[in-house]
Amino acid sequence: MTVSTNERDLAKFAVAIQQLEQGRSNAAGMCTLSAGVVNTTVKAPNCAATSKVLLFPRSANAAAELGNGTLYVSAVANGAFTLTHAANAQIDRSFVFVCLG
């Protein structure tokens, strides 16, 4: 739940706080590395230039990419981050991510 800065209903604030206590957050998402290129830009609306991006593989090829040391976060900006990685034809290098900070 997103709570507007103009919100006056305390129940909506309570629900938002409960969701945070339960581990829910708008700072998470999913992405897949682009095939055949060395950079993938990921749109992440809640990402800030000072955010730290954490990646978690969702497939064997994604885990291999991470384990090979060929994947890293090369840039972080407001609303997006860029991943630099190996250029290959694999289309299943999928990750979940969290942008914190």
Side-chain angles (χ1 to χ4, degrees):
M1 168 180 270
T2 302
V3 181
S4 167
T5 56
N6 298 326
E7 185 59 60
R8 301 289 181 239
D9 183 353
L10 294 180
K12 290 185 180 179
F13 284 103
V15 169
I17 292 168
Q18 287 174 337
Q19 288 179 346
L20 285 171
E21 287 178 330
Q22 295 169 1
R24 293 182 181 89
S25 171
N26 292 336
M30 292 180 19
C31 64
T32 301
L33 301 182
S34 301
V37 297
V38 296
N39 291 307
T40 299
T41 299
V42 180
K43 291 183 181 181
N46 290 326
C47 188
T50 57
S51 292
K52 306 304 181 246
V53 178
L54 306 173
L55 297 171
F56 304 93
R58 289 183 41 98
S59 67
N61 284 330
E65 183 81 32
L66 194 59
N68 290 338
T70 53
L71 171 67
Y72 62 95
V73 179
S74 55
V76 181
N78 292 335
F81 60 90
T82 301
L83 300 172
T84 297
H85 51 82
N88 62 43
Q90 295 170 339
I91 59 170
D92 68 336
R93 296 176 294 167
S94 297
F95 294 84
V96 293
F97 66 83
V98 179
C99 294
L100 300 175

